[in-house]
Amino acid sequence: MLWIVCVFCTFSVLSVGADLKPRSCSEVRQAYTAKGFSLVNVPHQEISGEHLRICAQGYTCCTSEMEDKLSQQSKLEFENLVEEASHSLRTTFVSRHKKFDEFFRELLENTKKSLNDMFVRTYGHLYMQNSEVFQDLFAELKRYYTGGNVNLEEMLNDFWARLLERMFQLVNTQYHFTEDYLECISKYTDQLKPFGDVPRKLKVQVTRAFIAARTFVQGLTVGREVANRVSKVSPTPGCIRALMKMLYCPHCRGMPALKPCNNYCRNVMKGCLANQADLDPEWNLFIDAMLLVAERLEGPFNIEAVMEPIDVKISEAIMNMQENSMQVSSKVFQGCGQPKPAPPGRSTRAVSDVFNHRFKPSEERPTTAAGTSLDRLVVDIKEKLKKSKKFWSTLPDSICSDVKVTGDRSDEEECWNGHTKGRYLPEVMNNGLTNQINNPDVEVDITRPDTFIRQQIMALRVMTNKLRNAYNGNDVNFQDASDEGSGSGSGSGCTEMCIPEFEVISTKAPTVVVDRFAETKASAPKPSHSLVLTVFLLCTIFALQRPLR
């Protein structure tokens, strides 16, 4: 009986010895050279692995040099995976920014050309003599759109004031007007309302439309830059070790075809992309704000609907001035004084001779800007923007769902779990830096947020604020720093408490507090506000002190 036991033990030892015999590294050599590496010093059979620093130190097909090269290869492949996964997002912002910018620029040029051609036909030499007033208007609109420091409301007010100066001289050619007199006229453009209600309506429409257009394109620029920058990852040493262990330690174990388990991959990616995931909340707010402004571009802030008929609206204003020239002149003479007669020999044509044709818009307008329409562009970008929400938090899952990266999900036993072939047991971590404190596969320092990512978060936050202001018709660049909600400067004055949707055309004209032309001559002097306040305070102090005596 004893000899049977001895024979059995002998066979068992021999069997174990056969299992421990070094295996061939032919598959590893083939996979290694396929990556472009030299086979010099690559072992043909497994060797002892005490030299390895990342992979398990059992029998291995990897030398120290191979482990270093494969570690760098894993870093490169990770960077490429993130680039590939974000390619569609980055392309969306690049291409749509180009389309919108091209559209807005062509729209401005087409509108300027249309107005010039029609005004030359309608007003002829008279327009050509004063065309710089209109050219300056479009130059300032373009300068605003391209990022210039232009206050739209002030610029439009200046346009109408200049136009009034020119027209007032044309309808009163029998008089000579000094620079001081013309300045007096321009000061009271709002009170005189020589152009009717056109300037007020146009100012509301143009400011809101241009604020929305410029801010939206700026938003596309910021989205493009953030996506490009964040997609260029710089993995930490802890991340590189985890990537090497996940992607190439199977090679060192002689199993180059074995791919990582899906949940294992997700934990590694969540650890390596922890800071990128923290971008997601601010990114989602940014996308929501972009969608809000996109809705404005479709509706009441549609710059295409505002700019295409602008020549008709300006001509309508000119006609209002012509028809009301007698009343306007009378009020100006009353407010600014009687001008001196023009020198002898100067042309004194009648008003009807100056403007002898009513403006009629031509049916031959320039083709649609950039071969498309704003509505089509907005419908397209809204669909793309909605798909980009939660991009950074789902990036690990997107990468790990790639069949080139992970194994077959249907068989969780046939994948690399970080140690051997078999099921991956640890739970999957949540997104973000703080949630990686217990990540079983990546060493993450949760006390040191990535400053570069924090800079991108701040850039998104600033842009989101600008977009929200643009949604309400306000230009944040011109808001009073002491009252950010006032909406002063370019914009409608609409605060964040505004009704979500409204028609621009129905906005009521601002009330004129003081009508300088309706004032009587100097009346009895009135005490100043500061004097009244001082007397009031003295009386109050005196009244409070009397009971104490």
Side-chain angles (χ1 to χ4, degrees):
M1 190 70 182
L2 181 61
W3 68 271
I4 296 175
V5 174
C6 291
V7 171
F8 176 79
C9 291
T10 302
F11 276 106
S12 298
V13 170
L14 291 173
S15 176
V16 171
D19 289 340
L20 293 176
K21 183 180 179 181
R23 291 175 295 180
S24 171
C25 293
S26 58
E27 291 185 17
V28 176
R29 287 170 60 85
Q30 185 178 352
Y32 190 71
T33 191
K35 296 291 181 183
F37 298 123
S38 170
L39 289 176
V40 176
N41 297 326
V42 176
H44 290 273
Q45 289 184 325
E46 290 182 328
I47 59 176
S48 179
E50 291 87 353
H51 56 277
L52 298 179
R53 292 176 297 171
I54 299 174
C55 299
Q57 295 182 335
Y59 278 109
T60 181
C61 288
C62 290
T63 63
S64 295
E65 182 184 0
M66 289 176 65
E67 189 181 43
D68 289 340
K69 287 184 177 180
L70 290 173
S71 181
Q72 288 302 310
Q73 180 69 18
S74 64
K75 173 180 178 293
L76 178 63
E77 290 183 10
F78 170 67
E79 292 169 351
N80 290 338
L81 284 170
V82 176
E83 286 265 350
E84 291 174 11
S86 62
H87 179 264
S88 177
L89 176 73
R90 290 181 287 112
T91 301
T92 291
F93 278 93
V94 170
S95 62
R96 270 52 183 187
H97 172 270
K98 183 180 179 181
K99 283 187 177 181
F100 271 90
D101 185 55
E102 184 181 67
F103 176 84
F104 289 140
R105 288 174 184 268
E106 284 194 22
L107 178 64
L108 266 175
E109 288 300 316
N110 289 349
T111 306
K112 180 174 74 172
K113 184 179 184 301
S114 175
L115 182 142
N116 183 74
D117 293 346
M118 293 176 185
F119 274 40
V120 166
R121 287 197 300 269
T122 305
Y123 302 118
H125 187 63
L126 183 64
Y127 162 72
M128 295 172 68
Q129 286 181 318
N130 299 278
S131 62
E132 75 275 7
V133 176
F134 302 91
Q135 290 172 0
D136 289 347
L137 169 66
F138 284 98
E140 286 297 284
L141 287 173
K142 183 175 181 179
R143 191 163 75 88
Y144 173 83
Y145 169 72
T146 54
N149 188 21
V150 178
N151 186 311
L152 284 176
E153 289 193 1
E154 290 180 4
M155 183 272 292
L156 291 168
N157 289 339
D158 183 60
F159 165 74
W160 292 111
R162 289 179 66 194
L163 187 59
L164 175 59
E165 289 177 14
R166 300 295 180 94
M167 288 199 62
F168 194 81
Q169 294 176 81
L170 291 172
V171 298
N172 290 284
T173 54
Q174 68 273 31
Y175 295 108
H176 170 71
F177 299 100
T178 64
E179 290 296 324
D180 290 341
Y181 199 97
L182 292 175
E183 187 176 346
C184 177
I185 296 171
S186 64
K187 284 181 180 178
Y188 307 120
T189 307
D190 288 340
Q191 291 93 325
L192 290 170
K193 290 188 170 32
F195 301 109
D197 205 28
V198 174
R200 182 195 64 80
K201 290 181 178 179
L202 205 57
K203 179 162 64 175
V204 170
Q205 293 173 329
V206 168
T207 53
R208 290 174 174 174
F210 269 81
I211 288 168
R214 181 173 86 161
T215 308
F216 191 76
V217 171
Q218 288 176 344
L220 290 172
T221 302
V222 170
R224 179 191 67 192
E225 293 304 311
V226 169
N228 282 335
R229 290 168 182 167
V230 178
S231 296
K232 297 185 184 301
V233 292
S234 299
T236 63
C239 171
I240 295 173
R241 288 178 60 87
L243 291 167
M244 169 62 193
K245 188 176 180 181
M246 181 182 83
L247 296 174
Y248 286 110
C249 281
H251 286 58
C252 295
R253 291 289 302 274
M255 299 177 285
L258 191 62
K259 294 182 179 179
C261 301
N262 185 267
N263 284 349
Y264 174 37
C265 173
R266 290 170 67 195
N267 267 344
V268 171
M269 291 300 159
K270 283 174 183 285
C272 289
L273 297 170
N275 283 284
Q276 282 76 4
D278 282 344
L279 186 77
D280 214 50
E282 201 63 48
W283 176 264
N284 293 338
L285 292 174
F286 162 71
I287 296 298
D288 286 338
M290 287 287 289
L291 288 168
L292 285 174
V293 177
E295 289 178 7
R296 290 298 204 209
L297 290 174
E298 283 183 304
F301 296 1
N302 188 317
I303 191 172
E304 189 175 24
V306 170
M307 292 304 292
E308 283 193 345
I310 199 170
D311 44 14
V312 178
K313 294 177 181 180
I314 292 176
S315 185
E316 179 187 340
I318 292 172
M319 293 305 167
N320 287 336
M321 171 64 187
Q322 175 192 346
E323 292 171 356
N324 300 315
S325 59
M326 298 298 291
Q327 299 93 315
V328 170
S329 297
S330 175
K331 289 184 178 180
V332 168
F333 296 157
Q334 180 182 351
C336 297
Q338 190 70 21
K340 294 180 181 179
R346 182 173 171 180
S347 173
T348 56
R349 290 180 296 168
V351 172
S352 59
D353 295 330
V354 176
F355 300 104
N356 53 9
H357 295 292
R358 256 195 187 279
F359 179 84
K360 293 181 180 179
S362 170
E363 294 181 0
E364 298 180 3
R365 288 184 173 273
T367 56
T368 306
T372 186
S373 70
L374 183 59
D375 287 342
R376 285 199 292 270
L377 286 176
V378 172
V379 168
D380 170 70
I381 192 63
K382 282 172 66 177
E383 180 184 349
K384 302 290 185 183
L385 288 172
K386 288 174 183 176
K387 290 181 180 179
S388 72
K389 288 192 70 174
K390 299 183 179 179
F391 174 82
W392 303 104
S393 61
T394 58
L395 184 56
D397 293 339
S398 300
I399 292 173
C400 294
S401 63
D402 190 338
V403 293
K404 294 183 299 183
V405 180
T406 55
D408 185 3
R409 284 192 179 187
S410 62
D411 191 348
E412 296 182 1
E413 299 292 343
E414 294 294 320
C415 58
W416 174 253
N417 62 18
H419 304 284
T420 187
K421 182 169 72 172
R423 183 185 297 269
Y424 181 77
L425 298 177
E427 65 175 335
V428 177
M429 299 292 102
N430 289 324
N431 297 312
L433 185 63
T434 57
N435 289 316
Q436 306 313 308
I437 188 170
N438 294 318
N439 192 309
D441 300 297
V442 188
E443 293 181 12
V444 182
D445 186 352
I446 66 168
T447 65
R448 299 183 62 184
D450 189 316
T451 54
F452 178 76
I453 296 295
R454 266 55 196 174
Q455 289 172 358
Q456 307 314 306
I457 290 174
M458 184 55 64
L460 289 173
R461 192 168 295 162
V462 170
M463 193 65 240
T464 299
N465 182 54
K466 292 184 71 172
L467 288 162
R468 287 171 177 169
N469 275 276
Y471 174 78
N472 290 315
N474 299 322
D475 190 345
V476 72
N477 292 338
F478 290 101
Q479 285 190 357
D480 188 346
S482 64
D483 185 9
E484 293 184 2
S486 65
S488 59
S490 291
S492 65
C494 174
T495 66
E496 293 189 5
M497 297 303 292
C498 283
I499 299 171
E501 293 292 338
F502 50 87
E503 289 295 327
V504 173
I505 201 71
S506 65
T507 306
K508 294 184 180 179
T511 305
V512 178
V513 179
V514 180
D515 189 348
R516 292 290 299 274
F517 290 92
E519 289 180 351
T520 58
K521 292 295 181 180
S523 58
K526 297 180 181 179
S528 68
H529 290 297
S530 59
L531 178 60
V532 173
L533 181 60
T534 302
V535 173
F536 173 75
L537 289 173
L538 289 172
C539 292
T540 303
I541 293 169
F542 179 74
L544 291 171
Q545 287 178 339
R546 288 191 64 183
L548 299 175
R549 292 178 179 177

